Amino acid sequence: MLSPWDITPADRLWAWYGFLCLAAALNVALLVRTWHRVSPPSTKYNRWMRNLGIYMCLNTTWRSVFPSLYLQRRTFWDTPLNGILVDRGFACLGELAWVFQTAWALRHIDAEYWSSVAGKPSRSLFVQLSAWMGFALYVVAEGISYYNTATTNEWWAAAEVVVDGLSYAAMVPAAAYLLLVVPGHITASSGKLFLAILVVFGVAYPLYNWGVDAEMYMRRYAADQARGKQYFGFWEGLKDAAITRHPSHEFALWSGDMAWMLMYFVFGTLSSTLMMHGPSVAKACKGAPDRTADKLSLAI
């Protein structure tokens, strides 16, 4: 007989779901607070960085309330609002906005630094191409995601997270280079702080994707192969994803994906919201302190 202090699998599931919803509410509150702090934007760059932050928060807020696992057609609630393609659409919009934010900030910092060195508008081709490469790779990953969602083939789910990781890994050398050449301490400007975080994240994120997520999907793929699973064709699978939902509140069916959802929905959203401040090294390159770094440290 269970005592009142025993934690059941159902308790763990609802605690996880409750934390997702709480994190979503806090993310929205931080987004609203940040929006007011950075408005009105002073430049086109600041306006876009501010506006792009909305989409990652919208993505994770929706998917925190309506979690789903695409390939299994598993949903938390039996409602069209929790539909597989609905969630996939929010994910595509939010993730592309997030990576575009990251790439734009990297390109902007590069242009600020080289323009200060040259005394005229200038930039590094290496950094610019690295940033665009990172975004392009994530576009490819989104296409792969739609393919694995449609076909329910876990091999392609593994391929998706590998390419996701490559997207950020592609930006690491450029971020590390700028971190070395831009003057000032890491905390002296929001731009240098951004570069330092990008270097760390650009290494850790691919390692997690390749060593944890991809390995999990390959185990599922092997299990599917062992039982002779038949996969959907792409268009047939998209139709199935649009209409099929298998709602479940069974802990065992969600447990393998709980960790990445928590990290993604919390830290992914936080990073996008903080980038709304528009990382910059312009003042640091001119010798004046950039107080945006101080604002970032107080943003939470």
Side-chain angles (χ1 to χ4, degrees):
M1 181 176 180
L2 291 175
S3 78
W5 304 107
D6 288 327
I7 300 176
T8 67
D11 293 332
R12 293 189 181 95
L13 178 75
W14 286 104
W16 169 76
Y17 180 73
F19 185 84
L20 286 184
C21 292
L22 175 61
L26 293 175
N27 282 333
V28 171
L30 180 60
L31 176 77
V32 172
R33 181 169 182 256
T34 303
W35 181 277
H36 286 294
R37 291 183 68 143
V38 300
S39 297
S42 57
T43 67
K44 176 183 177 181
Y45 165 70
N46 292 108
R47 182 172 66 254
W48 274 91
M49 293 298 284
R50 182 197 66 174
N51 294 350
L52 286 168
I54 296 172
Y55 300 106
M56 187 62 164
C57 188
L58 175 62
N59 161 37
T60 58
T61 299
W62 187 275
R63 294 170 65 203
S64 292
V65 178
F66 300 111
S68 68
L69 299 175
Y70 307 148
L71 279 66
Q72 293 78 18
R73 307 296 191 252
R74 188 168 301 131
T75 62
F76 207 78
W77 303 110
D78 189 12
T79 168
L81 297 175
N82 207 165
I84 298 300
L85 290 188
V86 174
D87 279 19
R88 176 86 279 280
F90 277 110
C92 182
L93 178 65
E95 289 164 5
L96 289 180
W98 177 49
V99 182
F100 193 72
Q101 251 187 322
T102 306
W104 196 336
L106 184 61
R107 292 174 51 242
H108 181 78
I109 292 168
D110 171 64
E112 284 182 327
Y113 170 70
W114 283 108
S115 295
S116 73
V117 170
K120 60 181 181 180
S122 186
R123 63 196 67 197
S124 161
L125 181 61
F126 161 63
V127 175
Q128 298 293 315
L129 290 178
S130 296
W132 282 117
M133 176 63 72
F135 179 69
L137 283 168
Y138 222 101
V139 171
V140 172
E142 292 297 334
I144 295 174
S145 185
Y146 273 100
Y147 186 79
N148 67 52
T149 297
T151 63
T152 70
N153 188 327
E154 298 278 0
W155 190 95
W156 287 101
E160 176 197 346
V161 296
V162 167
V163 179
D164 282 347
L166 285 173
S167 170
Y168 273 85
M171 291 187 276
V172 168
Y177 166 69
L178 286 174
L179 186 61
L180 290 173
V181 299
V182 171
H185 189 268
I186 285 175
T187 59
S189 70
S190 58
K192 287 211 72 168
L193 184 59
F194 165 81
L195 293 170
I197 294 172
L198 180 55
V199 169
V200 174
F201 181 76
V203 172
Y205 178 55
L207 289 178
Y208 177 85
N209 274 17
W210 303 338
V212 179
D213 278 357
E215 196 269 340
M216 174 183 70
Y217 292 131
M218 289 306 294
R219 285 200 311 271
R220 292 176 180 176
Y221 175 71
D224 287 344
Q225 291 291 293
R227 63 173 178 263
K229 178 178 178 177
Q230 298 297 307
Y231 301 107
F232 287 109
F234 180 72
W235 295 112
E236 177 191 13
L238 277 184
K239 179 180 178 181
D240 180 77
I243 61 176
T244 302
R245 296 187 301 275
H246 299 308
S248 173
H249 293 155
E250 186 176 340
F251 175 80
L253 297 180
W254 292 95
S255 59
D257 297 88
M258 286 180 170
W260 72 256
M261 285 190 183
L262 280 174
M263 290 187 287
Y264 170 9
F265 293 175
V266 173
F267 298 111
T269 311
L270 177 62
S271 67
S272 181
T273 302
L274 293 180
M275 282 192 287
M276 291 170 67
H277 287 273
S280 171
V281 296
K283 292 180 180 178
C285 289
K286 294 176 182 177
D290 177 2
R291 297 303 180 191
T292 309
D294 298 332
K295 294 178 183 178
L296 289 179
S297 67
L298 297 172
I300 302 175

